[in-house]
């Protein structure tokens, strides 16, 4: 046996004996399950290929990192409570001409979440609003970001229940902790005054702190009918639309154009420009979408 090559070569792996038992224990404590599962096999491979110790360790650590990333994504998806897992791969963009595909693809990069911007998908029923919201949520999970999916009605129900059981603060804190909150179907169910106040508080607490995606079948001017109060609706829209991307998912582009035009203008020029760009795809004469 000549010095260096012997020293650098890996010992043949074995899983029996005291060191292995201790190693197993320590790796569990350090939460390195992939290292624990793979170290013996990789040791054999490295011994066979004459791979040195640092490279052996590197292989193991890389395996752990890859596995850890996968586990995080799986956990994020579980925690998000998606009713179904949908992605943009299965979304047929030509089927919904009013939708700005480039904007959706850009949003799927999730940078809007890091910038704490919001997304509102507006349009009549069945145009794929929930699908797109789910796909953006999935993309965020795949980036390792904490996401929560809920409907407006379920969220309000949850908030009221938490309030009655004196755990509202905890729920509010949990909601603040997610980087992307998806509130689906705002508009199908009118809310009680308390429900509307509680929902408003969620938006208020997330304002410039986290991203929210809202889907609604109602144009903005009709949101008052859901929230019950013009003052509250104005204040909510103010926060929600300050940094916002609008996804127009409606065959009736004329109505959408009206709804976007009538809502309160966002305060930041950048957001206003964004909105402008997003709504410039409508032909003013025909009300048709001319640039999807
Ligand atoms: P909305 O939320 O706007 O009412 P959904 O997203 O629930 O609509 O869409 C209804 C169903 O149709 C879902 O199963 C969804 O996956 C599917 N769907 C809608 N639009 C598309 C599309 N453009 N491409 C593929 N599937 C779509
Ligand atoms: Mg829906």
């Amino acid at each position: 046996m000549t010095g260096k090559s012997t020293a650098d070569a890996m010992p043949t792996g074995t899983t029996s004996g005291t060191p292995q038992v201790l190693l197993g224990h320590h790796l569990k404590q350090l939460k390195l399950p992939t290292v624990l599962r793979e170290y013996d096999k990789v040791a054999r491979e490295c011994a066979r290929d004459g791979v040195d110790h640092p490279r052996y360790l590197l292989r193991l650590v890389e395996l752990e990192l890859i596995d850890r990333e996968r586990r995080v994504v799986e956990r994020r998806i579980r925690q998000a409570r998606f009713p179904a897992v949908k992605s943009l791969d299965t979304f047929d963009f030509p089927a919904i001409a009013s939708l700005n595909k480039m904007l959706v693809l850009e949003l799927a990069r999730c940078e809007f979440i890091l910038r704490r911007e919001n997304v509102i998908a507006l349009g009549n029923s069945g145009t794929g609003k929930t699908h797109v919201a789910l796909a953006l949520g999935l993309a965020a999970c795949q980036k390792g970001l904490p996401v929560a999916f809920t409907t407006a009605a379920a969220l309000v129900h949850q908030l009221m229940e938490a309030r009655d059981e004196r755990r509202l603060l905890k729920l509010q804190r949990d909601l603040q902790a997610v980087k992307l909150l998806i509130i689906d179907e705002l508009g199908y169910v009118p809310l009680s005054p308390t429900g509307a106040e509680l929902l408003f508080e969620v938006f208020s607490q997330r304002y410039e702190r986290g991203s929210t995606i809202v889907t609604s079948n109602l144009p903005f001017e009709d949101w008052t009918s859901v929230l019950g109060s013009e003052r509250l609706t104005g204040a909510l829209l103010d926060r929600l639309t300050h940094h916002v991307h609008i996804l127009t998912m409606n065959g009736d582009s004329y109505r959408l154009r009206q709804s976007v035009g009538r809502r309160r203008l966002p305060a930041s020029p950048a957001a206003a420009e964004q909105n402008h760009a997003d709504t410039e795809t409508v032909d003013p004469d025909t009300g048709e979408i001319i640039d999807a």
Side-chain angles (χ1 to χ4, degrees):
M1 288 201 174
T2 54
K4 192 169 187 308
S5 63
T6 316
D8 285 349
M10 293 304 307
T12 307
T14 164
T15 47
S16 62
T18 312
Q20 281 72 21
V21 173
L22 268 180
L23 185 58
H25 180 262
H26 294 339
L27 287 173
K28 267 186 201 148
Q29 204 160 22
L30 288 167
K31 298 195 172 23
L32 297 168
T34 309
V35 173
L36 175 57
R37 194 182 65 237
E38 299 292 331
Y39 81 86
D40 189 54
K41 188 177 120 231
V42 178
R44 286 172 201 275
E45 288 167 4
C46 288
R48 187 195 60 209
D49 303 340
V51 172
D52 62 18
H53 287 105
R55 286 188 178 79
Y56 165 62
L57 197 55
L58 181 64
R59 276 189 197 182
L60 276 182
V61 170
E62 280 174 348
L63 286 174
E64 186 71 57
L65 275 177
I66 292 166
D67 251 10
R68 184 170 290 186
E69 220 165 86
R70 184 183 49 73
R71 290 195 299 269
V72 167
V73 171
E74 282 170 4
R75 189 166 67 242
R76 294 299 185 216
I77 292 172
R78 265 197 319 275
Q79 289 170 338
R81 297 179 178 276
F82 297 128
V85 175
K86 297 203 180 188
S87 78
L88 290 180
D89 296 345
T90 58
F91 194 76
D92 178 11
F93 281 96
I96 170 91
S98 69
L99 181 61
N100 183 340
K101 177 180 176 181
M102 293 315 290
L103 175 58
V104 176
L105 296 181
E106 168 59 27
L107 292 173
R109 289 153 51 95
C110 296
E111 281 162 18
F112 79 98
I113 302 173
L114 306 181
R115 293 193 300 263
R116 293 151 191 192
E117 296 164 353
N118 301 318
V119 176
I120 306 177
L122 295 177
N124 44 295
S125 190
T127 51
K129 297 183 298 297
T130 301
H131 188 132
V132 168
L134 285 168
L136 294 179
L138 181 66
C141 289
Q142 283 162 345
K143 295 254 189 261
L145 298 167
V147 177
F149 182 101
T150 180
T151 63
L155 177 59
V156 166
H157 181 82
Q158 230 186 334
L159 288 162
M160 304 254 275
E161 201 171 70
R163 193 192 59 148
D164 293 345
E165 293 168 9
R166 297 178 154 276
R167 50 178 180 81
L168 183 58
L169 268 175
K170 161 128 186 22
L171 177 58
Q172 286 174 331
R173 267 202 293 270
D174 291 349
L175 287 167
Q176 275 182 61
V178 298
K179 297 278 183 216
L180 175 64
L181 176 65
I182 302 172
I183 303 179
D184 199 24
E185 295 183 353
L186 184 79
Y188 284 112
V189 187
L191 306 173
S192 68
T194 314
E197 289 275 352
L198 287 168
L199 187 65
F200 169 75
E201 269 183 55
V202 170
F203 285 105
S204 191
Q205 287 165 352
R206 290 190 71 71
Y207 176 61
E208 293 191 332
R209 291 201 200 113
S211 288
T212 309
I213 297 180
V214 176
T215 81
S216 179
N217 59 319
L218 295 180
F220 291 118
E221 74 265 27
D222 291 347
W223 283 28
T224 306
S225 66
V226 179
L227 295 158
S229 143
E230 214 155 294
R231 177 191 56 81
L232 199 71
T233 307
L236 188 148
L237 280 176
D238 228 25
R239 284 155 182 77
L240 186 62
T241 62
H242 186 184
H243 308 287
V244 74
H245 304 271
I246 312 280
L247 299 178
T248 62
M249 303 185 66
N250 205 325
D252 189 355
S253 59
Y254 187 72
R255 193 180 71 201
L256 182 76
R257 186 186 164 83
Q258 279 188 319
S259 73
V260 172
R262 259 186 246 154
R263 73 191 167 82
R264 301 175 65 156
L265 275 177
S268 93
E273 202 171 82
Q274 180 64 58
N275 293 334
H276 185 65
D278 293 347
T279 54
E280 270 308 284
T281 52
V282 181
D283 186 310
D285 300 323
T286 62
E288 290 298 318
I289 300 295
I290 51 176
D291 177 24

